[in-house]
Amino acid sequence: MEPSNLAALPEESSEEQNNQQQQQEVASAFASVPRRPPTQSSLQKYSPLDWKDYFDQEDDIKIPDTNDVFHVYMAGTEGPVVFCLHGGGYSGLSFALSAEMIKEKARVVSMDLRGHGKSTTENDLDLSVETMCNDVFAVLKAIYGDSPPAIVLAGHSMGGSIAVHVAAMKKLPSLAGVVVVDVVEGTAMASLSHMQKILSSKMQHFSSIEKAIEWTIKSGSLSNIDSARVSIPTTLKYDESKKCYVHRAKLEETEQYWKGWYEGLSEKFLSSPVPKLLLLAGTDRLDRTLTIGQMQGKFQMVVVRHTGHAIQEDVPDEFATLILNFISRNRIGPHGAEIPGIRWPSQLQN
């Protein structure tokens, strides 16, 4: 397995192996506090963007009988709910640019998972698959009570594994579909031994949010500047002792849970009785179980070209179109109706 295939794991790592030399050069450029402030043009190019340009509202969901509060972003007023679960090290705003388009035909709810973004929990380091699945159920119940609308779970990387596990538990009667973004069990399991090295190779300290956004683009973690400008700020927190910004999620301290995210993922994915869509950023990532399942027509697969690990951020319009096509094709929604005006992209594969 070539290092470029490590992208099936969570943490903004899709291009880090391919661009190792480039990263080292970029990292050295930011290794110390800059002697002079960034230029105005640089500040403007990498300045944060407001989530309100993409989502309609945000909310803090307090879970009863706990001190857990999950931050969610919402968009749209009608249609099925696309419930988005981000990858490790990302945040709910990873789906911001996609939500702007999806909300024209469906509703979008994107949550900050435990230990990420603006969510706060009693134990931010408990990223076990069981705990995170329970978090999803708790948030859905808090928002919709006992009568949730049709739900399409859309998960990227680590979030994709959570989506699959939630579906496999069969505790959500209104579940109408599962979309998994660029994570496959075989590649993910093979990559686990490299993850600490990948995490430690990431730039750890930033003198400003603009510098963090700039590094994210120049390192190849994301290619869409606008997406980085809206999603990166909530993946950071300011460290008073170090007088700089650091990563919000402490993924390096959660290694004990990584195997549980991905072990048995392919079988669970195939066993889910709802329509399934797998989006991949490369053709060589299907393991044997999924290859057989795809040949048997058990799920729909689309290979999205010219994108990194975070498909929903790099090509948000294409991602949104694929989501809406999936909803339309499977007649997901309150009336099982086709969504008018949606056409298949030319690269769709069955």
Side-chain angles (χ1 to χ4, degrees), residues 50-52 55-63 67-74 83-86 90-94 108-121 124 135 139 142-143 234 248:
D50 197 325
W51 63 266
K52 294 178 183 176
F55 287 100
D56 299 332
Q57 66 183 92
E58 61 178 353
D59 201 1
D60 286 316
I61 307 298
K62 174 74 168 66
I63 306 303
N67 292 320
D68 297 346
V69 179
F70 291 97
H71 197 76
V72 300
Y73 300 91
M74 301 178 178
F83 195 86
C84 300
L85 304 170
H86 61 78
Y90 295 75
S91 79
L93 291 177
S94 181
V108 181
V109 177
S110 188
M111 70 179 283
D112 287 339
L113 294 171
R114 175 178 296 256
H116 292 73
K118 295 182 179 179
S119 292
T120 58
T121 67
D124 280 353
D135 291 343
V139 168
I143 296 176
T234 54
R248 160 77 169 92

mmCIF file of all heavy atoms in Angstrom, residues 50-52 55-63 67-74 83-86 90-94 108-121 124 135 139 142-143 234 248:
data_model
loop_
_atom_site.group_PDB
_atom_site.id
_atom_site.type_symbol
_atom_site.label_atom_id
_atom_site.label_comp_id
_atom_site.label_asym_id
_atom_site.label_seq_id
_atom_site.Cartn_x
_atom_site.Cartn_y
_atom_site.Cartn_z
ATOM 1 N N ASP A 50 -17.624 33.775 7.702
ATOM 2 C CA ASP A 50 -18.687 33.542 8.669
ATOM 3 C C ASP A 50 -19.554 32.359 8.252
ATOM 4 O O ASP A 50 -19.970 32.259 7.090
ATOM 5 C CB ASP A 50 -19.548 34.799 8.778
ATOM 6 C CG ASP A 50 -20.413 34.812 10.035
ATOM 7 O OD1 ASP A 50 -20.874 33.729 10.452
ATOM 8 O OD2 ASP A 50 -20.625 35.908 10.588
ATOM 9 N N TRP A 51 -19.856 31.467 9.197
ATOM 10 C CA TRP A 51 -20.711 30.311 8.903
ATOM 11 C C TRP A 51 -22.110 30.744 8.447
ATOM 12 O O TRP A 51 -22.817 29.993 7.754
ATOM 13 C CB TRP A 51 -20.830 29.407 10.124
ATOM 14 C CG TRP A 51 -21.495 30.053 11.316
ATOM 15 C CD1 TRP A 51 -20.878 30.693 12.352
ATOM 16 C CD2 TRP A 51 -22.905 30.150 11.567
ATOM 17 N NE1 TRP A 51 -21.811 31.190 13.239
ATOM 18 C CE2 TRP A 51 -23.068 30.858 12.784
ATOM 19 C CE3 TRP A 51 -24.044 29.711 10.892
ATOM 20 C CZ2 TRP A 51 -24.313 31.134 13.335
ATOM 21 C CZ3 TRP A 51 -25.294 29.987 11.441
ATOM 22 C CH2 TRP A 51 -25.421 30.688 12.646
ATOM 23 N N LYS A 52 -22.533 31.950 8.824
ATOM 24 C CA LYS A 52 -23.880 32.416 8.499
ATOM 25 C C LYS A 52 -24.086 32.586 7.001
ATOM 26 O O LYS A 52 -25.233 32.670 6.538
ATOM 27 C CB LYS A 52 -24.153 33.743 9.211
ATOM 28 C CG LYS A 52 -24.210 33.609 10.723
ATOM 29 C CD LYS A 52 -24.423 34.958 11.387
ATOM 30 C CE LYS A 52 -24.398 34.823 12.907
ATOM 31 N NZ LYS A 52 -24.521 36.146 13.577
ATOM 32 N N PHE A 55 -24.873 28.288 6.537
ATOM 33 C CA PHE A 55 -25.938 27.704 7.344
ATOM 34 C C PHE A 55 -26.929 28.789 7.751
ATOM 35 O O PHE A 55 -26.604 29.978 7.768
ATOM 36 C CB PHE A 55 -25.355 27.039 8.603
ATOM 37 C CG PHE A 55 -24.625 25.749 8.332
ATOM 38 C CD1 PHE A 55 -23.240 25.722 8.261
ATOM 39 C CD2 PHE A 55 -25.322 24.559 8.166
ATOM 40 C CE1 PHE A 55 -22.561 24.534 8.017
ATOM 41 C CE2 PHE A 55 -24.651 23.370 7.914
ATOM 42 C CZ PHE A 55 -23.272 23.354 7.844
ATOM 43 N N ASP A 56 -28.142 28.362 8.121
ATOM 44 C CA ASP A 56 -29.172 29.314 8.530
ATOM 45 C C ASP A 56 -29.115 29.628 10.022
ATOM 46 O O ASP A 56 -29.472 30.728 10.449
ATOM 47 C CB ASP A 56 -30.558 28.760 8.188
ATOM 48 C CG ASP A 56 -30.732 28.538 6.691
ATOM 49 O OD1 ASP A 56 -30.066 29.254 5.908
ATOM 50 O OD2 ASP A 56 -31.519 27.644 6.313
ATOM 51 N N GLN A 57 -28.697 28.660 10.820
ATOM 52 C CA GLN A 57 -28.646 28.872 12.259
ATOM 53 C C GLN A 57 -27.670 27.894 12.918
ATOM 54 O O GLN A 57 -27.267 26.899 12.315
ATOM 55 C CB GLN A 57 -30.035 28.703 12.879
ATOM 56 C CG GLN A 57 -30.587 27.283 12.796
ATOM 57 C CD GLN A 57 -31.995 27.172 13.349
ATOM 58 O OE1 GLN A 57 -32.986 27.298 12.624
ATOM 59 N NE2 GLN A 57 -32.085 26.926 14.646
ATOM 60 N N GLU A 58 -27.302 28.215 14.151
ATOM 61 C CA GLU A 58 -26.513 27.296 14.958
ATOM 62 C C GLU A 58 -27.243 27.119 16.276
ATOM 63 O O GLU A 58 -28.075 27.938 16.675
ATOM 64 C CB GLU A 58 -25.096 27.833 15.194
ATOM 65 C CG GLU A 58 -25.044 29.145 15.942
ATOM 66 C CD GLU A 58 -23.621 29.633 16.209
ATOM 67 O OE1 GLU A 58 -22.664 28.893 15.927
ATOM 68 O OE2 GLU A 58 -23.493 30.761 16.704
ATOM 69 N N ASP A 59 -26.933 26.042 16.981
ATOM 70 C CA ASP A 59 -27.609 25.792 18.252
ATOM 71 C C ASP A 59 -26.721 24.924 19.131
ATOM 72 O O ASP A 59 -25.866 24.175 18.630
ATOM 73 C CB ASP A 59 -28.944 25.087 18.000
ATOM 74 C CG ASP A 59 -29.915 25.242 19.170
ATOM 75 O OD1 ASP A 59 -29.549 25.911 20.169
ATOM 76 O OD2 ASP A 59 -31.024 24.696 19.084
ATOM 77 N N ASP A 60 -26.918 25.038 20.424
ATOM 78 C CA ASP A 60 -26.248 24.167 21.386
ATOM 79 C C ASP A 60 -27.276 23.190 21.927
ATOM 80 O O ASP A 60 -28.282 23.596 22.525
ATOM 81 C CB ASP A 60 -25.629 24.976 22.533
ATOM 82 C CG ASP A 60 -24.379 25.729 22.111
ATOM 83 O OD1 ASP A 60 -23.548 25.126 21.414
ATOM 84 O OD2 ASP A 60 -24.234 26.909 22.477
ATOM 85 N N ILE A 61 -27.042 21.904 21.716
ATOM 86 C CA ILE A 61 -27.974 20.861 22.127
ATOM 87 C C ILE A 61 -27.511 20.278 23.454
ATOM 88 O O ILE A 61 -26.507 19.567 23.519
ATOM 89 C CB ILE A 61 -28.081 19.757 21.058
ATOM 90 C CG1 ILE A 61 -28.401 20.365 19.687
ATOM 91 C CG2 ILE A 61 -29.119 18.723 21.470
ATOM 92 C CD1 ILE A 61 -29.708 21.080 19.621
ATOM 93 N N LYS A 62 -28.240 20.593 24.504
ATOM 94 C CA LYS A 62 -27.922 20.079 25.846
ATOM 95 C C LYS A 62 -28.536 18.702 25.997
ATOM 96 O O LYS A 62 -29.731 18.503 25.780
ATOM 97 C CB LYS A 62 -28.478 21.027 26.914
ATOM 98 C CG LYS A 62 -28.332 20.545 28.337
ATOM 99 C CD LYS A 62 -26.893 20.657 28.813
ATOM 100 C CE LYS A 62 -26.810 20.451 30.334
ATOM 101 N NZ LYS A 62 -27.189 19.058 30.739
ATOM 102 N N ILE A 63 -27.713 17.719 26.356
ATOM 103 C CA ILE A 63 -28.190 16.351 26.520
ATOM 104 C C ILE A 63 -28.681 16.161 27.956
ATOM 105 O O ILE A 63 -27.923 16.396 28.908
ATOM 106 C CB ILE A 63 -27.087 15.326 26.192
ATOM 107 C CG1 ILE A 63 -26.515 15.604 24.797
ATOM 108 C CG2 ILE A 63 -27.629 13.909 26.297
ATOM 109 C CD1 ILE A 63 -27.536 15.598 23.683
ATOM 110 N N ASN A 67 -23.625 16.649 31.349
ATOM 111 C CA ASN A 67 -23.063 17.980 31.121
ATOM 112 C C ASN A 67 -22.601 18.145 29.685
ATOM 113 O O ASN A 67 -21.817 19.042 29.375
ATOM 114 C CB ASN A 67 -21.893 18.230 32.084
ATOM 115 C CG ASN A 67 -22.342 18.348 33.523
ATOM 116 O OD1 ASN A 67 -23.380 18.957 33.803
ATOM 117 N ND2 ASN A 67 -21.589 17.761 34.442
ATOM 118 N N ASP A 68 -23.079 17.281 28.811
ATOM 119 C CA ASP A 68 -22.676 17.308 27.406
ATOM 120 C C ASP A 68 -23.529 18.296 26.627
ATOM 121 O O ASP A 68 -24.761 18.279 26.705
ATOM 122 C CB ASP A 68 -22.816 15.922 26.777
ATOM 123 C CG ASP A 68 -21.903 14.893 27.431
ATOM 124 O OD1 ASP A 68 -20.984 15.307 28.176
ATOM 125 O OD2 ASP A 68 -22.120 13.680 27.205
ATOM 126 N N VAL A 69 -22.854 19.164 25.870
ATOM 127 C CA VAL A 69 -23.537 20.130 25.009
ATOM 128 C C VAL A 69 -22.927 20.033 23.618
ATOM 129 O O VAL A 69 -21.727 20.271 23.435
ATOM 130 C CB VAL A 69 -23.396 21.570 25.538
ATOM 131 C CG1 VAL A 69 -24.110 22.544 24.605
ATOM 132 C CG2 VAL A 69 -23.940 21.693 26.958
ATOM 133 N N PHE A 70 -23.753 19.666 22.632
ATOM 134 C CA PHE A 70 -23.257 19.493 21.265
ATOM 135 C C PHE A 70 -23.696 20.665 20.397
ATOM 136 O O PHE A 70 -24.865 21.032 20.368
ATOM 137 C CB PHE A 70 -23.754 18.171 20.678
ATOM 138 C CG PHE A 70 -23.131 16.975 21.330
ATOM 139 C CD1 PHE A 70 -23.787 16.303 22.348
ATOM 140 C CD2 PHE A 70 -21.859 16.547 20.957
ATOM 141 C CE1 PHE A 70 -23.204 15.217 22.978
ATOM 142 C CE2 PHE A 70 -21.270 15.458 21.572
ATOM 143 C CZ PHE A 70 -21.938 14.789 22.589
ATOM 144 N N HIS A 71 -22.715 21.234 19.715
ATOM 145 C CA HIS A 71 -22.975 22.378 18.846
ATOM 146 C C HIS A 71 -23.365 21.868 17.464
ATOM 147 O O HIS A 71 -22.701 20.979 16.911
ATOM 148 C CB HIS A 71 -21.724 23.245 18.740
ATOM 149 C CG HIS A 71 -21.992 24.621 18.225
ATOM 150 N ND1 HIS A 71 -22.559 25.608 18.995
ATOM 151 C CD2 HIS A 71 -21.788 25.175 17.007
ATOM 152 C CE1 HIS A 71 -22.686 26.714 18.284
ATOM 153 N NE2 HIS A 71 -22.227 26.482 17.070
ATOM 154 N N VAL A 72 -24.452 22.398 16.929
ATOM 155 C CA VAL A 72 -24.920 21.977 15.608
ATOM 156 C C VAL A 72 -25.175 23.194 14.726
ATOM 157 O O VAL A 72 -25.496 24.287 15.215
ATOM 158 C CB VAL A 72 -26.212 21.126 15.684
ATOM 159 C CG1 VAL A 72 -25.987 19.877 16.508
ATOM 160 C CG2 VAL A 72 -27.378 21.940 16.244
ATOM 161 N N TYR A 73 -25.013 22.982 13.432
ATOM 162 C CA TYR A 73 -25.333 23.987 12.424
ATOM 163 C C TYR A 73 -26.472 23.430 11.569
ATOM 164 O O TYR A 73 -26.472 22.247 11.221
ATOM 165 C CB TYR A 73 -24.112 24.280 11.545
ATOM 166 C CG TYR A 73 -22.919 24.797 12.322
ATOM 167 C CD1 TYR A 73 -21.967 23.920 12.837
ATOM 168 C CD2 TYR A 73 -22.758 26.163 12.549
ATOM 169 C CE1 TYR A 73 -20.877 24.396 13.555
ATOM 170 C CE2 TYR A 73 -21.670 26.644 13.263
ATOM 171 C CZ TYR A 73 -20.735 25.757 13.769
ATOM 172 O OH TYR A 73 -19.659 26.230 14.485
ATOM 173 N N MET A 74 -27.436 24.295 11.239
ATOM 174 C CA MET A 74 -28.619 23.842 10.518
ATOM 175 C C MET A 74 -28.888 24.722 9.308
ATOM 176 O O MET A 74 -28.624 25.925 9.332
ATOM 177 C CB MET A 74 -29.836 23.858 11.440
ATOM 178 C CG MET A 74 -29.701 22.992 12.682
ATOM 179 S SD MET A 74 -31.181 23.117 13.728
ATOM 180 C CE MET A 74 -30.735 21.967 15.051
ATOM 181 N N PHE A 83 -27.879 14.488 7.794
ATOM 182 C CA PHE A 83 -27.225 14.660 9.097
ATOM 183 C C PHE A 83 -25.735 14.364 8.928
ATOM 184 O O PHE A 83 -25.342 13.226 8.671
ATOM 185 C CB PHE A 83 -27.852 13.723 10.132
ATOM 186 C CG PHE A 83 -27.510 14.072 11.549
ATOM 187 C CD1 PHE A 83 -28.263 15.006 12.249
ATOM 188 C CD2 PHE A 83 -26.433 13.468 12.181
ATOM 189 C CE1 PHE A 83 -27.956 15.336 13.562
ATOM 190 C CE2 PHE A 83 -26.120 13.788 13.491
ATOM 191 C CZ PHE A 83 -26.875 14.729 14.183
ATOM 192 N N CYS A 84 -24.916 15.408 9.055
ATOM 193 C CA CYS A 84 -23.502 15.316 8.666
ATOM 194 C C CYS A 84 -22.590 15.070 9.868
ATOM 195 O O CYS A 84 -22.713 15.728 10.908
ATOM 196 C CB CYS A 84 -23.074 16.606 7.971
ATOM 197 S SG CYS A 84 -24.020 16.973 6.475
ATOM 198 N N LEU A 85 -21.661 14.147 9.693
ATOM 199 C CA LEU A 85 -20.688 13.783 10.721
ATOM 200 C C LEU A 85 -19.283 13.956 10.136
ATOM 201 O O LEU A 85 -18.908 13.274 9.186
ATOM 202 C CB LEU A 85 -20.901 12.334 11.170
ATOM 203 C CG LEU A 85 -22.318 12.016 11.679
ATOM 204 C CD1 LEU A 85 -22.485 10.514 11.858
ATOM 205 C CD2 LEU A 85 -22.597 12.745 12.983
ATOM 206 N N HIS A 86 -18.523 14.870 10.708
ATOM 207 C CA HIS A 86 -17.213 15.221 10.152
ATOM 208 C C HIS A 86 -16.127 14.219 10.545
ATOM 209 O O HIS A 86 -16.314 13.365 11.418
ATOM 210 C CB HIS A 86 -16.813 16.628 10.614
ATOM 211 C CG HIS A 86 -16.691 16.758 12.108
ATOM 212 N ND1 HIS A 86 -15.598 16.298 12.811
ATOM 213 C CD2 HIS A 86 -17.525 17.298 13.028
ATOM 214 C CE1 HIS A 86 -15.767 16.535 14.098
ATOM 215 N NE2 HIS A 86 -16.922 17.140 14.268
ATOM 216 N N TYR A 90 -11.601 17.675 12.154
ATOM 217 C CA TYR A 90 -12.402 18.648 11.422
ATOM 218 C C TYR A 90 -13.477 19.206 12.369
ATOM 219 O O TYR A 90 -13.385 19.097 13.580
ATOM 220 C CB TYR A 90 -13.054 17.999 10.207
ATOM 221 C CG TYR A 90 -12.094 17.510 9.146
ATOM 222 C CD1 TYR A 90 -11.348 16.341 9.321
ATOM 223 C CD2 TYR A 90 -11.945 18.193 7.931
ATOM 224 C CE1 TYR A 90 -10.479 15.879 8.340
ATOM 225 C CE2 TYR A 90 -11.083 17.741 6.938
ATOM 226 C CZ TYR A 90 -10.347 16.581 7.154
ATOM 227 O OH TYR A 90 -9.485 16.125 6.185
ATOM 228 N N SER A 91 -14.522 19.810 11.813
ATOM 229 C CA SER A 91 -15.656 20.278 12.614
ATOM 230 C C SER A 91 -16.911 20.235 11.762
ATOM 231 O O SER A 91 -16.848 19.920 10.565
ATOM 232 C CB SER A 91 -15.427 21.707 13.124
ATOM 233 O OG SER A 91 -15.687 22.659 12.097
ATOM 234 N N GLY A 92 -18.050 20.573 12.363
ATOM 235 C CA GLY A 92 -19.298 20.570 11.617
ATOM 236 C C GLY A 92 -19.285 21.504 10.429
ATOM 237 O O GLY A 92 -20.031 21.310 9.458
ATOM 238 N N LEU A 93 -18.427 22.514 10.482
ATOM 239 C CA LEU A 93 -18.340 23.473 9.372
ATOM 240 C C LEU A 93 -17.613 22.892 8.161
ATOM 241 O O LEU A 93 -17.502 23.551 7.130
ATOM 242 C CB LEU A 93 -17.657 24.754 9.835
ATOM 243 C CG LEU A 93 -18.478 25.589 10.838
ATOM 244 C CD1 LEU A 93 -17.706 26.807 11.299
ATOM 245 C CD2 LEU A 93 -19.822 25.992 10.232
ATOM 246 N N SER A 94 -17.137 21.662 8.281
ATOM 247 C CA SER A 94 -16.538 20.977 7.134
ATOM 248 C C SER A 94 -17.548 20.839 5.997
ATOM 249 O O SER A 94 -17.177 20.725 4.830
ATOM 250 C CB SER A 94 -16.028 19.593 7.558
ATOM 251 O OG SER A 94 -15.422 18.912 6.489
ATOM 252 N N VAL A 108 -30.243 20.308 6.286
ATOM 253 C CA VAL A 108 -28.900 19.881 6.673
ATOM 254 C C VAL A 108 -28.709 20.158 8.160
ATOM 255 O O VAL A 108 -29.034 21.248 8.648
ATOM 256 C CB VAL A 108 -27.802 20.625 5.882
ATOM 257 C CG1 VAL A 108 -26.418 20.127 6.300
ATOM 258 C CG2 VAL A 108 -28.004 20.454 4.388
ATOM 259 N N VAL A 109 -28.221 19.170 8.874
ATOM 260 C CA VAL A 109 -27.785 19.349 10.262
ATOM 261 C C VAL A 109 -26.367 18.808 10.350
ATOM 262 O O VAL A 109 -26.117 17.653 9.997
ATOM 263 C CB VAL A 109 -28.697 18.606 11.260
ATOM 264 C CG1 VAL A 109 -28.165 18.761 12.676
ATOM 265 C CG2 VAL A 109 -30.137 19.109 11.167
ATOM 266 N N SER A 110 -25.443 19.633 10.789
ATOM 267 C CA SER A 110 -24.045 19.211 10.899
ATOM 268 C C SER A 110 -23.575 19.467 12.322
ATOM 269 O O SER A 110 -23.600 20.609 12.793
ATOM 270 C CB SER A 110 -23.179 19.978 9.892
ATOM 271 O OG SER A 110 -21.867 19.458 9.847
ATOM 272 N N MET A 111 -23.173 18.423 13.020
ATOM 273 C CA MET A 111 -22.807 18.564 14.435
ATOM 274 C C MET A 111 -21.294 18.541 14.632
ATOM 275 O O MET A 111 -20.555 17.914 13.864
ATOM 276 C CB MET A 111 -23.459 17.473 15.284
ATOM 277 C CG MET A 111 -22.924 16.071 15.085
ATOM 278 S SD MET A 111 -23.739 14.828 16.160
ATOM 279 C CE MET A 111 -22.950 15.138 17.754
ATOM 280 N N ASP A 112 -20.851 19.274 15.648
ATOM 281 C CA ASP A 112 -19.474 19.144 16.111
ATOM 282 C C ASP A 112 -19.417 17.909 17.002
ATOM 283 O O ASP A 112 -20.086 17.858 18.043
ATOM 284 C CB ASP A 112 -19.053 20.378 16.921
ATOM 285 C CG ASP A 112 -18.833 21.609 16.059
ATOM 286 O OD1 ASP A 112 -18.620 21.465 14.850
ATOM 287 O OD2 ASP A 112 -18.884 22.723 16.618
ATOM 288 N N LEU A 113 -18.656 16.920 16.598
ATOM 289 C CA LEU A 113 -18.557 15.694 17.385
ATOM 290 C C LEU A 113 -17.805 15.944 18.691
ATOM 291 O O LEU A 113 -17.149 16.973 18.880
ATOM 292 C CB LEU A 113 -17.859 14.606 16.569
ATOM 293 C CG LEU A 113 -18.630 14.128 15.327
ATOM 294 C CD1 LEU A 113 -17.763 13.210 14.478
ATOM 295 C CD2 LEU A 113 -19.909 13.401 15.750
ATOM 296 N N ARG A 114 -17.927 15.023 19.576
ATOM 297 C CA ARG A 114 -17.259 15.091 20.885
ATOM 298 C C ARG A 114 -15.767 15.406 20.719
ATOM 299 O O ARG A 114 -15.071 14.798 19.909
ATOM 300 C CB ARG A 114 -17.436 13.743 21.575
ATOM 301 C CG ARG A 114 -16.722 13.558 22.893
ATOM 302 C CD ARG A 114 -17.036 12.192 23.455
ATOM 303 N NE ARG A 114 -18.469 12.068 23.759
ATOM 304 C CZ ARG A 114 -18.985 12.122 24.983
ATOM 305 N NH1 ARG A 114 -18.190 12.279 26.022
ATOM 306 N NH2 ARG A 114 -20.296 12.001 25.171
ATOM 307 N N GLY A 115 -15.300 16.381 21.508
ATOM 308 C CA GLY A 115 -13.892 16.742 21.451
ATOM 309 C C GLY A 115 -13.516 17.603 20.269
ATOM 310 O O GLY A 115 -12.337 17.846 20.024
ATOM 311 N N HIS A 116 -14.508 18.077 19.542
ATOM 312 C CA HIS A 116 -14.273 18.861 18.331
ATOM 313 C C HIS A 116 -15.129 20.128 18.327
ATOM 314 O O HIS A 116 -16.192 20.178 18.944
ATOM 315 C CB HIS A 116 -14.604 18.041 17.076
ATOM 316 C CG HIS A 116 -13.691 16.897 16.809
ATOM 317 N ND1 HIS A 116 -13.715 15.741 17.563
ATOM 318 C CD2 HIS A 116 -12.709 16.725 15.874
ATOM 319 C CE1 HIS A 116 -12.791 14.901 17.088
ATOM 320 N NE2 HIS A 116 -12.175 15.477 16.066
ATOM 321 N N GLY A 117 -14.654 21.121 17.585
ATOM 322 C CA GLY A 117 -15.437 22.333 17.371
ATOM 323 C C GLY A 117 -15.865 23.001 18.663
ATOM 324 O O GLY A 117 -15.085 23.137 19.606
ATOM 325 N N LYS A 118 -17.131 23.373 18.715
ATOM 326 C CA LYS A 118 -17.664 24.092 19.872
ATOM 327 C C LYS A 118 -18.428 23.188 20.837
ATOM 328 O O LYS A 118 -19.055 23.680 21.779
ATOM 329 C CB LYS A 118 -18.579 25.233 19.400
ATOM 330 C CG LYS A 118 -17.863 26.319 18.614
ATOM 331 C CD LYS A 118 -18.836 27.436 18.228
ATOM 332 C CE LYS A 118 -18.141 28.537 17.455
ATOM 333 N NZ LYS A 118 -19.092 29.621 17.049
ATOM 334 N N SER A 119 -18.400 21.885 20.603
ATOM 335 C CA SER A 119 -19.055 20.959 21.527
ATOM 336 C C SER A 119 -18.220 20.792 22.793
ATOM 337 O O SER A 119 -16.987 20.812 22.741
ATOM 338 C CB SER A 119 -19.267 19.591 20.862
ATOM 339 O OG SER A 119 -20.229 19.683 19.826
ATOM 340 N N THR A 120 -18.897 20.634 23.916
ATOM 341 C CA THR A 120 -18.209 20.402 25.197
ATOM 342 C C THR A 120 -18.860 19.210 25.890
ATOM 343 O O THR A 120 -20.093 19.128 25.978
ATOM 344 C CB THR A 120 -18.309 21.633 26.116
ATOM 345 O OG1 THR A 120 -19.690 21.956 26.349
ATOM 346 C CG2 THR A 120 -17.625 22.840 25.489
ATOM 347 N N THR A 121 -18.037 18.293 26.353
ATOM 348 C CA THR A 121 -18.552 17.094 27.012
ATOM 349 C C THR A 121 -17.784 16.803 28.289
ATOM 350 O O THR A 121 -16.747 17.403 28.554
ATOM 351 C CB THR A 121 -18.439 15.863 26.085
ATOM 352 O OG1 THR A 121 -17.040 15.552 25.877
ATOM 353 C CG2 THR A 121 -19.096 16.111 24.731
ATOM 354 N N ASP A 124 -13.959 14.731 26.697
ATOM 355 C CA ASP A 124 -13.691 15.011 25.284
ATOM 356 C C ASP A 124 -12.774 13.991 24.636
ATOM 357 O O ASP A 124 -12.655 13.959 23.405
ATOM 358 C CB ASP A 124 -13.074 16.408 25.135
ATOM 359 C CG ASP A 124 -14.116 17.516 25.196
ATOM 360 O OD1 ASP A 124 -15.323 17.196 25.212
ATOM 361 O OD2 ASP A 124 -13.736 18.697 25.221
ATOM 362 N N ASP A 135 -23.891 9.609 21.177
ATOM 363 C CA ASP A 135 -23.989 11.063 21.022
ATOM 364 C C ASP A 135 -24.928 11.428 19.863
ATOM 365 O O ASP A 135 -25.758 12.330 19.983
ATOM 366 C CB ASP A 135 -22.610 11.676 20.759
ATOM 367 C CG ASP A 135 -21.678 11.602 21.963
ATOM 368 O OD1 ASP A 135 -22.168 11.384 23.094
ATOM 369 O OD2 ASP A 135 -20.453 11.752 21.768
ATOM 370 N N VAL A 139 -28.412 13.501 20.211
ATOM 371 C CA VAL A 139 -28.645 14.773 19.522
ATOM 372 C C VAL A 139 -29.898 14.689 18.656
ATOM 373 O O VAL A 139 -30.740 15.615 18.651
ATOM 374 C CB VAL A 139 -27.418 15.176 18.674
ATOM 375 C CG1 VAL A 139 -27.751 16.336 17.742
ATOM 376 C CG2 VAL A 139 -26.250 15.542 19.584
ATOM 377 N N ALA A 142 -32.893 14.848 20.905
ATOM 378 C CA ALA A 142 -33.078 16.184 21.467
ATOM 379 C C ALA A 142 -33.680 17.139 20.439
ATOM 380 O O ALA A 142 -34.480 18.016 20.788
ATOM 381 C CB ALA A 142 -31.745 16.732 21.979
ATOM 382 N N ILE A 143 -33.325 16.970 19.182
ATOM 383 C CA ILE A 143 -33.832 17.870 18.138
ATOM 384 C C ILE A 143 -35.231 17.472 17.681
ATOM 385 O O ILE A 143 -36.121 18.323 17.537
ATOM 386 C CB ILE A 143 -32.880 17.887 16.927
ATOM 387 C CG1 ILE A 143 -31.508 18.455 17.313
ATOM 388 C CG2 ILE A 143 -33.478 18.717 15.784
ATOM 389 C CD1 ILE A 143 -30.489 18.404 16.188
ATOM 390 N N THR A 234 -12.841 26.879 13.675
ATOM 391 C CA THR A 234 -13.409 26.129 14.799
ATOM 392 C C THR A 234 -12.654 24.832 15.090
ATOM 393 O O THR A 234 -13.007 24.111 16.018
ATOM 394 C CB THR A 234 -14.893 25.806 14.546
ATOM 395 O OG1 THR A 234 -15.037 25.149 13.290
ATOM 396 C CG2 THR A 234 -15.738 27.069 14.581
ATOM 397 N N ARG A 248 -7.806 22.018 18.278
ATOM 398 C CA ARG A 248 -8.826 21.761 19.307
ATOM 399 C C ARG A 248 -8.892 20.288 19.674
ATOM 400 O O ARG A 248 -8.943 19.924 20.839
ATOM 401 C CB ARG A 248 -10.186 22.245 18.772
ATOM 402 C CG ARG A 248 -11.422 21.666 19.448
ATOM 403 C CD ARG A 248 -11.679 22.306 20.786
ATOM 404 N NE ARG A 248 -13.000 21.931 21.296
ATOM 405 C CZ ARG A 248 -13.223 20.887 22.097
ATOM 406 N NH1 ARG A 248 -12.228 20.117 22.483
ATOM 407 N NH2 ARG A 248 -14.447 20.620 22.529
#
